[in-house]
Amino acid sequence: MLGNMMQRPLLISDLLEHAARYYPESEIVSRRCEGDIHRYNYLEASKRTKKLANALQNYGINPGDRIATLAWNTYRHYEVYFAVSGIGCVTHTINPRLFPEQITYIVNHAEDRLLFVDLTFVPLLEKVAAEISCVEKIVIMADSDKMPQTSLSNAICYEDFIADAAEEYEWPEFDENTAAALCYTSGTTGNPKGVLYSHRSTLIHAWASTMPDTLNLSSATNLLPVVPMFHVSAWGTPYACTLTGAKLIFPGAGLDGASLSELIKQ
């Protein structure tokens, strides 16, 4: 006999919908690669994430496609997290500390169609671009007026990519065991190995992370995740904070002591 209560799959998109509905004014603060501090809230994050979801589908991204990131902990990376998984695709976070040949290997192995990159890592991509032919477009996560001079022929500005997309989007419903995120190991005994996280595992981990004996998160929490979003989803903190409506403070590339101290004080 099966129960008949709450017959809904556990999906990552529901976390952001929940935060936008019940914690719309809770802030997400980011130190941007452009140098300034960016502030918005969960409601605004939800709208921009839906714009990105529409932009991805307008481009022709299909469920199951892998979308890569080479990025710091920022609000744009957060939007990619939720938009890509939310439409049924896989967020493939790349560790920039790997050797260039390992980055080339995992991009090709995952068959990433798009790659979202922070300004810091554009030179790194320029060195390996010729060897990652599977990537159709590189989306540089910066404002239009901050776009760098680059040899990347398939580069586009993030803000331009989402500019014409609608803010309204109906998140699809699918099996909760669908792959949501992909993270490769360091490859210490050979080539890196890909590890797939499901929507179900991500939500259960997020819920467990909020418990008093783990991170003890609530809507009154201010959390600054220094652990990187490019490895094991920053220990799941973007999801756990969204679940509880906790305030998120993203340090971007400023991981030195002085930058972190300044951000904490502000």
Side-chain angles (χ1 to χ4, degrees):
M1 181 182 295
L2 299 176
N4 58 11
M5 289 290 288
M6 301 178 184
Q7 296 297 314
R8 284 182 58 84
L10 300 176
L11 298 178
I12 286 171
S13 55
D14 283 336
L15 292 177
L16 191 53
E17 287 288 285
H18 174 78
R21 183 177 297 116
Y22 296 107
Y23 310 106
E25 300 301 321
S26 290
E27 276 194 308
I28 299 174
V29 182
S30 299
R31 185 188 295 281
R32 306 202 309 169
C33 292
E34 292 95 320
D36 59 338
I37 300 296
H38 176 274
R39 292 174 179 268
Y40 70 169
N41 57 40
Y42 280 116
L43 180 59
E44 293 164 322
S46 175
K47 292 178 179 179
R48 278 179 53 90
T49 300
K50 289 178 178 180
K51 284 176 71 71
L52 177 55
N54 278 313
L56 290 168
Q57 292 196 326
N58 293 342
Y59 178 80
I61 297 300
N62 301 308
D65 285 344
R66 275 73 64 202
I67 308 299
T69 66
L70 197 58
W72 299 107
N73 296 11
T74 69
Y75 70 102
R76 289 189 180 109
H77 202 179
Y78 177 90
E79 292 165 6
V80 175
Y81 259 46
F82 283 88
V84 171
S85 299
I87 65 174
C89 296
V90 181
T91 307
H92 172 203
T93 56
I94 300 171
N95 186 343
R97 294 169 181 156
L98 296 176
F99 292 110
E101 57 268 27
Q102 292 178 322
I103 292 174
T104 299
Y105 170 79
I106 65 176
V107 169
N108 290 329
H109 187 266
E111 298 180 343
D112 297 317
R113 287 191 59 188
L114 301 182
L115 200 160
F116 288 76
V117 61
D118 269 334
L119 290 169
T120 312
F121 304 119
V122 170
L124 173 58
L125 272 186
E126 288 174 336
K127 294 177 182 178
V128 302
E131 302 172 57
I132 51 174
S133 57
C134 59
V135 174
E136 301 165 16
K137 195 174 290 294
I138 292 172
V139 185
I140 299 178
M141 296 195 285
D143 290 341
S144 298
D145 61 348
K146 301 293 185 180
M147 283 288 284
Q149 292 292 324
T150 178
S151 60
L152 298 170
S153 60
N154 56 346
I156 185 174
C157 172
Y158 181 97
E159 298 302 327
D160 293 341
F161 185 69
I162 69 171
D164 297 328
E167 289 183 350
E168 295 78 30
Y169 184 80
E170 192 73 29
W171 296 108
E173 189 171 297
F174 42 80
D175 191 318
E176 64 186 19
N177 294 299
T178 299
L182 174 62
C183 181
Y184 278 73
T185 65
S186 61
T188 51
T189 57
N191 285 323
K193 309 297 189 297
V195 179
L196 278 171
Y197 303 91
S198 70
H199 284 256
R200 175 182 170 82
S201 69
T202 300
L203 260 70
I204 291 174
H205 182 273
W207 174 78
S209 297
T210 67
M211 295 290 100
D213 286 338
T214 47
L215 296 180
N216 193 25
L217 299 179
S218 75
S219 59
T221 302
N222 295 351
L223 190 141
L224 191 162
V226 179
V227 293
M229 290 173 70
F230 57 70
H231 188 62
V232 295
S233 302
W235 279 243
T237 52
Y239 305 114
C241 287
T242 305
L243 173 62
T244 60
K247 179 177 179 177
L248 268 168
I249 302 95
F250 287 130
L255 298 178
D256 58 285
S259 296
L260 288 174
S261 176
E262 177 191 27
L263 200 57
I264 291 167
K265 289 175 182 176
Q266 288 181 2

